[in-house]
């Protein structure tokens, strides 16, 4: 048997940092996530994460399933919950591919945002009417309150929405990226008031619905959560590009 021979090749090691855009995954889900849900099985199997097998738990009624997305009715306490709790010093990233079916009123899509009277939690929601409808971010207790994307996201299209936050320091930071539309880097102050136990992070109308919101629904094609990591806008853009390719293979055209 020939012995193994190891040779040190004269190739200098690169110190260049590898960006997310340079990484190609061998799976249909993102292995860097806490868990990643792809809603393309058309059944309750969609509620099981592809990475860790974590369950999304319906708060009340079950969603409606289609071949490549699921639909959640816009009603208070009608979201899908992860097993992730929230803290005042939260550092995390949440991403969805979502289609808003309302042309006016408030539609919560991501996070733990509670009502003004409740004054806890935070997240992202659609609001406004017609062509002026857009996305906003609010985090109770901080000065980041109904901060708008600054560009329209009218109903009827599938959008990639990525939100990353770092509340670990005195300056509260939130990056919001909507693929093909706009992005914004927000900073604020004051302590964040997290969602109290036993509330969890989720998607859909988890803890808030405005009085003027019509009885409509929102569609999700995928959702991914990342713990203990704050993503730059460039990182979120790379995640968007991968989601766009992934969803195209599943029959959904993301903006």
């Amino acid at each position: 048997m020939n012995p193994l021979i190891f040779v040190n090749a004269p190739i200098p090691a690169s110190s260049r940092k590898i960006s997310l855009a340079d990484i190609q995954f061998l799976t249909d889900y993102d292995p860097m996530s806490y868990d990643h849900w792809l809603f393309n099985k058309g059944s309750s199997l969609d509620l099981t994460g592809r990475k860790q097998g974590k369950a999304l738990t319906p708060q009340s009624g079950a969603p409606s399933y289609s071949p490549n997305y699921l639909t959640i009715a816009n009603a208070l306490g009608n979201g899908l919950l992860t097993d992730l709790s929230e803290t005042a010093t939260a550092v995390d990233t949440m991403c969805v591919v979502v289609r808003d079916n309302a042309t006016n009123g408030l539609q919560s899509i991501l996070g733990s945002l509670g009502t003004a009277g409740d004054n806890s939690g935070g997240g992202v929601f659609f609001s406004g009417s017609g062509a002026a409808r857009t996305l906003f971010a609010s985090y109770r207790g901080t000065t980041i309150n109904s901060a708008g994307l600054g560009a329209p996201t009218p109903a009827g299209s599938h959008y990639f929405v990525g939100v990353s936050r770092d509340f670990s320091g005195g300056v509260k930071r939130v990056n919001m990226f909507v693929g093909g539309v706009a992005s914004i880097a927000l900073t604020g102050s004051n302590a964040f008031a997290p969602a109290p136990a036993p509330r969890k992070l989720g998607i859909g109308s988890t803890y808030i619905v405005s009085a003027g919101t019509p009885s409509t629904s929102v569609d999700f094609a995928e959702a991914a959560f990342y713990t203990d990591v704050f993503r730059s806008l460039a990182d979120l853009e790379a995640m968007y590009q991968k989601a766009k390719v992934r969803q195209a293979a599943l029959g959904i055209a993301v903006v």
Side-chain angles (χ1 to χ4, degrees):
M1 180 180 294
N2 294 327
L4 294 174
I5 301 175
F6 296 90
V7 179
N8 289 325
I11 301 175
S14 172
S15 60
R16 184 176 72 89
K17 181 181 178 181
I18 299 175
S19 71
L20 284 179
D22 295 326
I23 299 174
Q24 297 297 321
F25 300 130
L26 299 178
T27 60
D28 59 353
Y29 62 85
D30 187 347
M32 300 175 72
S33 66
Y34 171 75
D35 217 335
H36 192 167
W37 295 267
L38 296 171
F39 306 127
N40 66 331
K41 293 184 180 297
S43 73
S44 60
L45 293 174
D46 284 335
L47 303 185
T48 300
R50 300 296 174 91
K51 180 186 176 184
Q52 292 202 78
K54 296 288 186 179
L56 287 176
T57 303
Q59 281 180 284
S60 53
S64 300
Y65 300 100
S66 297
N68 51 8
Y69 63 90
L70 58 75
T71 301
I72 302 175
N74 187 17
L76 182 61
N78 201 39
L80 295 174
L81 300 179
T82 69
D83 63 351
L84 294 169
S85 300
E86 194 168 48
T87 67
T89 55
V91 181
D92 52 28
T93 299
M94 295 168 252
C95 302
V96 292
V97 171
V98 61
R99 178 171 61 186
D100 178 25
N101 296 317
T103 57
N104 62 82
L106 185 150
Q107 173 63 66
S108 176
I109 63 168
L110 191 61
S112 65
L113 184 62
T115 64
D118 172 287
N119 200 34
S120 69
V124 176
F125 56 93
F126 288 101
S127 191
S129 300
R133 193 164 174 79
T134 190
L135 281 159
F136 295 84
S138 277
Y139 294 90
R140 303 294 191 196
T142 78
T143 55
I144 302 174
N145 181 27
S146 294
L149 179 66
T153 53
S157 296
H158 286 95
Y159 298 100
F160 170 90
V161 180
V163 180
S164 192
R165 58 183 179 168
D166 182 355
F167 295 162
S168 62
V171 177
K172 311 307 177 187
R173 299 187 292 163
V174 175
N175 285 338
M176 181 164 60
F177 183 96
V178 182
V181 180
S183 62
I184 187 169
L186 302 167
T187 57
S189 58
N190 300 342
F192 172 55
R199 293 185 179 182
K200 305 292 184 182
L201 296 173
I203 62 174
S205 301
T206 49
Y207 306 111
I208 185 170
V209 169
S210 71
T213 297
S215 299
T216 55
S217 62
V218 62
D219 301 331
F220 291 93
E222 66 173 82
F225 284 66
Y226 304 77
T227 55
D228 302 319
V229 59
F230 179 66
R231 296 293 191 192
S232 67
L233 291 175
D235 287 341
L236 293 173
E237 180 175 13
M239 295 161 80
Y240 155 63
Q241 295 294 346
K242 289 179 171 60
K244 189 171 184 178
V245 171
R246 180 168 54 242
Q247 286 300 320
L250 297 173
I252 286 182
V254 178
V255 172

